[in-house]
């Protein structure tokens, strides 16, 4: 079952790294497309018209935006190899808590605050 997977990203992106790691852990073949964030590609603007940012995971022509959501999507679409999230609902909730915590800390770091 061949599936087309494209990742629109920018190599130093911490968020994109999350998605790249998940794809590689699952052994998913994907095409990596490095984006110029000053001159965004028409494909990026088409696939993420709301935020117009990377990373964007495109699977069979359908975009999945936001790296934490992409990781969950990857885990659900390719469940047979290297589970990323625990199967136990409580442990899965704890993993999601830490993803949210890190995302919020990264946003504060990007804004230059230390809260």
């Amino acid at each position: 079952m061949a599936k087309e997977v494209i990742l629109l990203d920018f190599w130093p992106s911490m968020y994109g790294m999350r998605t790249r790691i998940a794809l590689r852990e699952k052994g998913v073949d994907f095409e990596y497309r490095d984006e110029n964030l000053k001159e965004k590609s028409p494909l990026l603007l088409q696939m993420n018209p709301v935020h117009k940012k990377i990373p964007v995971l495109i699977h069979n022509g359908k975009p999945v935006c936001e790296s934490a959501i992409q990781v969950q999507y990857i885990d659900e679409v390719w469940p047979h190899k290297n589970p990323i999230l625990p199967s136990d609902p409580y442990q899965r909730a704890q993993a999601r808590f830490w993803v949210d915590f890190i995302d919020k800390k990264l946003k504060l770091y990007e804004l230059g605050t230390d809260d």
Side-chain angles (χ1 to χ4, degrees):
M1 172 166 74
K3 305 237 183 231
E4 181 181 78
V5 180
I6 300 169
L7 180 62
L8 306 179
D9 196 8
F10 180 56
W11 70 269
S13 167
M14 294 175 278
Y15 301 106
M17 181 61 72
R18 177 186 290 166
T19 303
R20 290 192 304 268
I21 289 170
L23 287 167
R24 289 184 179 122
E25 281 295 312
K26 289 289 191 171
V28 176
D29 290 328
F30 66 98
E31 178 184 341
Y32 177 85
R33 294 191 188 172
D34 203 43
E35 283 288 326
N36 178 344
L37 300 182
K38 292 185 180 191
E39 294 181 31
K40 297 174 182 178
S41 73
L43 183 60
L44 174 60
L45 298 174
Q46 175 190 356
M47 292 292 143
N48 193 351
V50 175
H51 297 296
K52 301 175 176 80
K53 64 181 185 174
I54 51 98
V56 176
L57 178 69
I58 305 169
H59 182 216
N60 289 334
K62 298 176 186 174
V64 179
C65 301
E66 301 299 325
S67 63
I69 295 168
Q70 292 166 357
V71 171
Q72 291 176 29
Y73 178 83
I74 291 163
D75 209 25
E76 291 170 2
V77 172
W78 293 279
H80 306 302
K81 185 176 181 189
N82 299 330
I84 295 170
L85 291 171
S87 59
D88 176 73
Y90 178 76
Q91 291 176 346
R92 199 166 45 249
Q94 291 299 304
R96 288 181 176 135
F97 167 83
W98 288 111
V99 168
D100 182 65
F101 177 83
I102 291 167
D103 283 350
K104 287 176 180 166
K105 287 293 185 183
L106 286 174
K107 283 180 177 63
L108 289 174
Y109 174 77
E110 290 170 354
L111 294 172
T113 28
D114 295 44
D115 280 328

